[in-house]
Amino acid sequence: RWARPPIEPGIAVKKPVTVSGGTAGDHAPERAVDGNSDDYDGSSWWAGSPPQWLQIDLEKPTKIDAVRVWTYWNWRRAYQYKVEVSADGTVWTLVADLSKNTRPATSLGFMHKFAPTEARYVRVTGLGNNEDGMVHLTEVRVYASGD
């Protein structure tokens, strides 16, 4: 059986998170930053009708240049979402736009690289998927510039 290579955990593991709306069942928002990208079902944040966002507080301004996003990857679902970063939680910069995505999610997630940017907050806004329209974030990893 093929084994996925290890993927660096980044700097967002166990950081504080907030969400725009509720949570579906026991799929708490903290699960999206628990360091577990392997369990697409039990270790993920599920939200209701989109758009719904999850915001990570890195707790201090940090120069970052990549965010890897895992969504639920079973059943060939293609998720639509946007990734934004902010230094102050007020002014946001779009760093990844998958609002028209049709590529199915995989166990590798999607890596989004961008110019090094000073940010304290990272926000992923789920816009839905091609199966049931819901928002499911298994893991969000943030990488400091140069890592």
Side-chain angles (χ1 to χ4, degrees), residues 21-22 41 65 73 77 101 112 146:
D41 188 13
D65 65 1
W73 67 80
R77 292 182 189 189
N101 180 48
H112 306 289

Side-chain angles (χ1 to χ4, degrees), residues 6-15 32-37 56 58 62-68 70 111 122 139-147:
I7 298 174
E8 291 299 317
I11 61 172
V13 175
K14 305 290 187 197
K15 295 295 185 186
V33 293
D34 65 1
N36 183 352
S37 62
I56 303 164
L58 299 175
T62 305
K63 192 165 281 207
I64 63 174
D65 65 1
V67 174
R68 186 183 292 261
W70 280 267
M111 176 65 102
V122 176
E139 188 76 9
V140 179
R141 295 193 180 170
V142 178
Y143 299 96
S145 181
D147 284 354

Side-chain angles (χ1 to χ4, degrees), residues 42-80:
S43 178
S44 59
W45 171 61
W46 293 6
S49 299
Q52 298 281 342
W53 54 255
L54 177 130
Q55 180 177 300
I56 303 164
D57 182 353
L58 299 175
E59 300 181 303
K60 64 181 181 186
T62 305
K63 192 165 281 207
I64 63 174
D65 65 1
V67 174
R68 186 183 292 261
V69 176
W70 280 267
T71 56
Y72 190 91
W73 67 80
N74 201 2
W75 301 336
R76 299 194 48 80
R77 292 182 189 189
Y79 283 83
Q80 295 78 44

